[in-house]
């Protein structure tokens, strides 16, 4: 079969890498792809906002499955258009994608179906939002309601900082995503990421993972889209996995169906493990980035039957096997990220860096030009390794990373530190 993968990041490279291993696949197209994917897939230029053009491409190239990687095309209804054209698609409809497209929608769903999450308020004006903040005190969390590329969350340590965040969001810091905002209590604990495939009725849990959102070592500095990740997440004990499924995932899947928005695709729960147990921070409606990279490194099974079953409603007939090994990925980003950064700087020595059989370098923000790999984004490479322990996987990842010749890049040097502390204690 022929498969079209929508997206250009590290997540999509990892999915393409895994899908390319399937004996069921003849050809993979990526739209638009990136500088590291063209040896396993054919890049195509498509206007993703023009759903008719995507459908025409699929018809002309006998595409039997479309895998939508990023959140924006999902929120904009690409899956709806593909379903109308009877082209199988992996991902939720626009209505179901509100779980990520509107933080307020998700908080209201949690309240209605008794899903544990932080207490909150929804606001369209600054004055009541500030009054809510003053009443609750700090620390407190202020979030733009809509899609903000992972940057629309401000964890304020003072009431004044939270008030400023309200002014910034309503002042246009995140564009249309900030037309409404959510203010919620600060949850104290350890974060974890939990993923399930769901066809709207059945669920298939995936391996656990944990990422590092802050830009600096020791989880300091600004929030980012993610500076590294590892799998499994030791904090997610079998008991916590069971509680997460029963208290958060299943009520969400049932609630979405009851609301008339059955969710199909991958449901990604960002969790805070508090002294009360797992609580939902937010939902994403696609694989995490960079969590997807470590999940694909650990997945032993062919992923394609599970993707097809998710799209066709037969997920109860599937299961997945996982490598016992741990996986860890380190993000190399352009200096200045998550602020402004220089583009089109050259990256060298990638082949030597990725020569270890347990290492794969997934490209995120790159392009290939005149035989050279150039950095085009903020998060640029995902240096990913497998090992018998997180400590070993981390060592392999940093050995590979240090072979890369890129003066304009930087990374955190402590990815996996929580898990490594557990291993060494």
């Amino acid at each position: 079969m022929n498969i079209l993968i929508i997206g250009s990041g590290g997540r999509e490279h990892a999915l393409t890498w895994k899908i390319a291993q399937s004996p069921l696949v003849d050809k993979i197209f990526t739209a638009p792809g990136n500088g590291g994917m063209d040896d396993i897939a054919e890049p195509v230029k498509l206007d993703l906002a023009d759903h008719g053009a995507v459908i025409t491409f699929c018809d002309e190239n006998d595409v039997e499955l479309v895998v939508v990687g990023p959140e924006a095309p999902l929120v904009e209804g690409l899956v709806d258009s593909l379903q109308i054209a009877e082209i199988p698609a992996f991902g939720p409809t626009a209505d179901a994608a509100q779980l990520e497209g509107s933080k307020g929608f998700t908080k209201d769903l949690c309240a209605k179906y008794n899903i544990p999450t932080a207490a909150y308020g929804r606001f369209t004006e600054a004055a009541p939002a500030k009054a809510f903040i003053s009443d609750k005190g700090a620390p407190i969390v202020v979030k733009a309601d809509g899609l903000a590329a992972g940057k629309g969350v401000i964890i304020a340590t003072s009431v004044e900082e939270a008030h400023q965040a309200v002014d910034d969001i309503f002042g246009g810091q995140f564009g249309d995503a900030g037309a409404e905002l959510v203010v919620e209590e600060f949850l104290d604990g350890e974060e974890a990421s939990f993923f399930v495939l769901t066809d709207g009725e059945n669920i298939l849990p995936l391996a656990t993972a944990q990422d590092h959102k802050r830009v600096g070592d020791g989880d300091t500095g600004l929030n980012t889209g993610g500076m590294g990740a590892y799998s499994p997440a030791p904090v997610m004990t079998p008991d916590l996995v069971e509680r997460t499924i029963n208290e958060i995932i299943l009520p969400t899947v049932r609630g979405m169906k009851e609301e008339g928005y059955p969710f199909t695709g991958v449901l990604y729960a960002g969790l805070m493990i508090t002294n009360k147990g797992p609580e939902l921070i937010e939902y994403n409606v696609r694989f995490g980035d960079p969590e997807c990279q470590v999940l694909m490194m650990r997945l032993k099974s062919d992923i394609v039957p599970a993707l097809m079953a998710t799209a066709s409603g037969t997920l109860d007939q599937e299961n997945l096997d996982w490598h016992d090994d741990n996986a860890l990925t380190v993000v190399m980003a352009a200096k200045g990220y998550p602020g402004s950064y220089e583009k089109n700087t050259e990256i060298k020595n990638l082949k030597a860096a990725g020569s270890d059989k347990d290492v794969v370098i997934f490209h995120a923000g790159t392009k290939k030009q005149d035989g050279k790999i150039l950095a085009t984004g903020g998060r640029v490479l995902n240096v990913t390794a497998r090992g018998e322990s997180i400590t070993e996987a981390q060592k392999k990842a940093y050995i590979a990373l240090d072979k890369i010749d890129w003066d304009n890049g930087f990374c955190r040097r402590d990815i996996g530190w929580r898990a490594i502390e557990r291993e060494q204690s």
Side-chain angles (χ1 to χ4, degrees):
M1 61 190 298
N2 295 340
I3 294 180
L4 170 63
I5 298 173
I6 303 292
S8 63
R11 166 185 49 226
E12 288 77 35
H13 190 178
L15 286 168
T16 304
W17 174 81
K18 187 63 188 175
I19 288 168
Q21 297 167 22
S22 172
L24 302 173
V25 176
D26 293 319
K27 188 165 188 176
I28 304 174
F29 301 98
T30 56
N34 64 37
M37 295 160 70
D38 60 3
D39 57 337
I40 51 174
E42 180 181 322
V44 293
K45 290 183 178 179
L46 285 173
D47 179 359
L48 300 181
D50 185 348
H51 295 179
V54 177
I55 290 165
T56 298
F57 177 85
C58 292
D59 288 338
E60 290 178 349
N61 291 277
D62 298 322
V63 170
E64 295 180 57
L65 176 66
V66 179
V67 178
V68 185
E71 61 274 20
L74 296 169
V75 170
E76 291 161 8
L78 179 56
V79 168
D80 304 65
S81 299
L82 291 164
Q83 286 180 349
I84 292 167
E86 299 183 347
I87 297 169
F90 177 84
T93 62
D95 283 339
Q98 289 180 90
L99 280 173
E100 181 167 0
S102 169
K103 293 179 177 65
F105 172 89
T106 299
K107 299 296 284 191
D108 288 351
L109 186 89
C110 289
K112 184 172 181 178
Y113 292 96
N114 298 312
I115 297 163
T117 189
Y120 73 103
R122 295 180 70 174
F123 303 97
T124 55
E125 295 180 353
K130 290 180 178 180
F132 182 88
I133 290 165
S134 297
D135 180 58
K136 296 293 182 185
I140 198 161
V141 183
V142 184
K143 298 180 175 181
D145 180 71
L147 298 181
K151 301 182 184 73
V153 178
I154 295 92
I155 301 169
T157 56
S158 67
V159 167
E160 293 75 21
E161 187 183 350
H163 284 179
Q164 185 61 52
V166 169
D167 288 337
D168 290 343
I169 291 172
F170 282 140
Q173 183 179 17
F174 303 110
D176 293 342
E180 182 177 337
L181 59 77
V182 171
V183 181
E184 60 184 37
E185 70 171 327
F186 174 78
L187 294 178
D188 195 22
E190 185 172 344
E191 286 191 49
S193 304
F194 192 78
F195 300 84
V196 300
L197 301 182
T198 175
D199 59 10
E201 186 86 34
N202 309 290
I203 70 164
L204 180 59
L206 306 181
T208 61
Q210 191 166 40
D211 78 337
H212 298 261
K213 288 282 188 236
R214 300 282 187 157
V215 72
D217 285 9
D219 295 324
T220 57
L222 295 172
N223 260 341
T224 71
M227 294 301 292
Y230 54 93
S231 174
V235 68
M236 292 300 290
T237 62
D239 175 64
L240 282 174
V241 167
E242 186 176 355
R243 285 189 62 183
T244 298
I245 290 170
N246 292 327
E247 298 173 21
I248 295 175
I249 301 296
L250 288 175
T252 300
V253 172
R254 292 169 186 151
M256 290 295 284
K257 184 180 179 184
E258 198 168 310
E259 295 297 313
Y261 311 136
F263 187 97
T264 66
V266 61
L267 190 57
Y268 160 14
L271 304 174
M272 185 67 78
I273 310 305
T274 71
N275 55 17
K276 293 187 289 184
E279 297 192 52
L280 183 72
I281 301 172
E282 64 181 9
Y283 270 127
N284 294 316
V285 299
R286 36 68 189 183
F287 281 103
D289 190 346
E291 294 98 331
C292 184
Q293 290 81 312
V294 290
L295 293 181
M296 293 305 106
M297 283 288 277
R298 291 192 60 221
L299 180 59
K300 186 184 291 185
S301 302
D302 185 346
I303 195 174
V304 173
L307 299 177
M308 291 294 292
T310 302
S312 63
T314 56
L315 196 57
D316 55 326
Q317 300 170 26
E318 296 295 326
N319 58 61
L320 294 170
D321 293 324
W322 299 85
H323 291 288
D324 292 332
D325 280 355
N326 295 254
L328 180 141
T329 189
V330 182
V331 171
M332 286 197 82
K335 288 178 181 175
Y337 175 82
S340 59
Y341 49 85
E342 186 181 351
K343 293 186 178 182
N344 298 315
T345 57
E346 186 178 358
I347 307 167
K348 300 176 182 177
N349 213 37
L350 285 169
K351 188 173 182 180
S355 59
D356 187 314
K357 65 179 177 59
D358 292 328
V359 171
V360 180
I361 299 173
F362 295 115
H363 290 231
T366 72
K367 68 178 179 182
K368 187 176 283 186
Q369 184 174 299
D370 300 326
K372 298 176 180 178
I373 296 295
L374 304 180
T376 59
R379 294 186 299 159
V380 176
L381 298 170
N382 311 130
V383 183
T384 312
R386 272 204 344 230
E388 290 184 7
S389 63
I390 293 292
T391 303
E392 183 184 341
Q394 186 204 55
K395 182 179 178 181
K396 289 180 179 179
Y398 281 112
I399 286 172
L401 185 147
D402 287 336
K403 294 177 184 175
I404 295 171
D405 181 4
W406 181 33
D407 290 340
N408 204 54
F410 79 98
C411 68
R412 282 182 54 166
R413 304 297 306 191
D414 65 343
I415 300 302
W417 68 269
R418 288 180 190 271
I420 290 168
E421 279 188 357
R422 282 187 169 94
E423 288 178 352
Q424 295 175 349
S425 64

